Amino acid sequence: VIMKEKRKAYEEKLDAQLKEWNAQIALLKAKAENTKADGKIDYYKTIDALQRKHDEAKTKLKELKTAGDEAWEAVKEGAEKVWAEVKTAYHDVASKFK
């Protein structure tokens, strides 16, 4: 029961992080709209790369939620790797908009 509760809490935390990143990506897209035309293309390429990473994280979360108890820890490790990549990608993109 304790493992099940920890698992659920972990998955909820990742769900919340995905929602936050989704909102931040939308904000970045809005900022990109206000950039000059020549820079806009670069911003959108960068945002698209971030969106792909976000989608990869979303897929990993689905895998995590459907993994059996035996496979859950292994899937969790993969999810944490993807999460770290998304976090780094987001910070890289956000720093370009400052």
Side-chain angles (χ1 to χ4, degrees):
V1 174
I2 292 173
M3 178 61 183
K4 197 170 201 118
E5 288 174 11
K6 282 184 180 180
R7 180 175 169 168
K8 185 177 180 200
Y10 185 79
E11 291 168 358
E12 286 174 355
K13 179 181 127 184
L14 295 184
D15 258 332
Q17 182 66 67
L18 271 178
K19 287 176 185 168
E20 182 181 325
W21 282 334
N22 208 34
Q24 290 170 341
I25 289 170
L27 185 62
L28 290 172
K29 285 179 180 178
K31 285 183 179 182
E33 277 299 311
N34 294 323
T35 357
K36 293 180 182 162
D38 55 344
K40 202 178 278 196
I41 293 169
D42 289 336
Y43 283 133
Y44 276 114
K45 282 182 185 176
T46 309
I47 292 169
D48 284 344
L50 177 59
Q51 185 69 57
R52 282 192 298 278
K53 282 283 175 199
H54 177 274
D55 292 345
E56 192 178 329
K58 192 174 183 178
T59 300
K60 275 289 177 196
L61 179 57
K62 284 180 187 174
E63 287 175 23
L64 198 61
K65 287 180 175 182
T66 59
D69 290 339
E70 320 79 45
W72 192 82
E73 284 296 329
V75 176
K76 179 183 170 196
E77 286 178 28
E80 287 176 351
K81 182 178 179 241
V82 171
W83 243 252
E85 290 171 4
V86 175
K87 194 173 189 178
T88 300
Y90 172 74
H91 287 297
D92 288 348
V93 172
S95 68
K96 290 181 181 185
F97 281 93
K98 288 185 178 177

